[in-house]
Amino acid sequence: MTSKPSPERSSGLPPEITTTECRTCGTLVSGVDGRYACGMCGWVNHWSEGHRELPSAEDDPDWQAH
């Protein structure tokens, strides 16, 4: 099965550092492309809330098809 690259991945844009407030304790947290984890209370947002599609295994330079 093959998939077409998403516009986000094919654009060649680097990951973006984003910042928000923790939804549980209010601490200012930074993440990559809208995906966050709070080091103070352990809150994490769901992966689907990110600003871009996650890369596939094939996009990983260390991935090897077997």
Side-chain angles (χ1 to χ4, degrees):
M1 177 165 92
T2 61
S3 62
K4 295 180 183 177
S6 69
E8 293 86 0
R9 279 192 264 157
S10 62
S11 69
L13 294 175
E16 179 183 4
I17 304 297
T18 53
T19 304
T20 193
E21 285 187 6
C22 172
R23 294 181 192 162
T24 301
C25 71
T27 299
L28 191 63
V29 293
S30 295
V32 178
D33 292 329
R35 293 180 176 89
Y36 306 102
C38 179
M40 297 299 288
C41 71
W43 167 82
V44 296
N45 68 329
H46 193 265
W47 64 267
S48 66
E49 295 177 27
H51 302 162
R52 299 187 209 192
E53 183 179 320
L54 288 170
S56 68
E58 292 85 358
D59 293 329
D60 184 338
D62 295 326
W63 182 79
Q64 298 178 14
H66 296 289

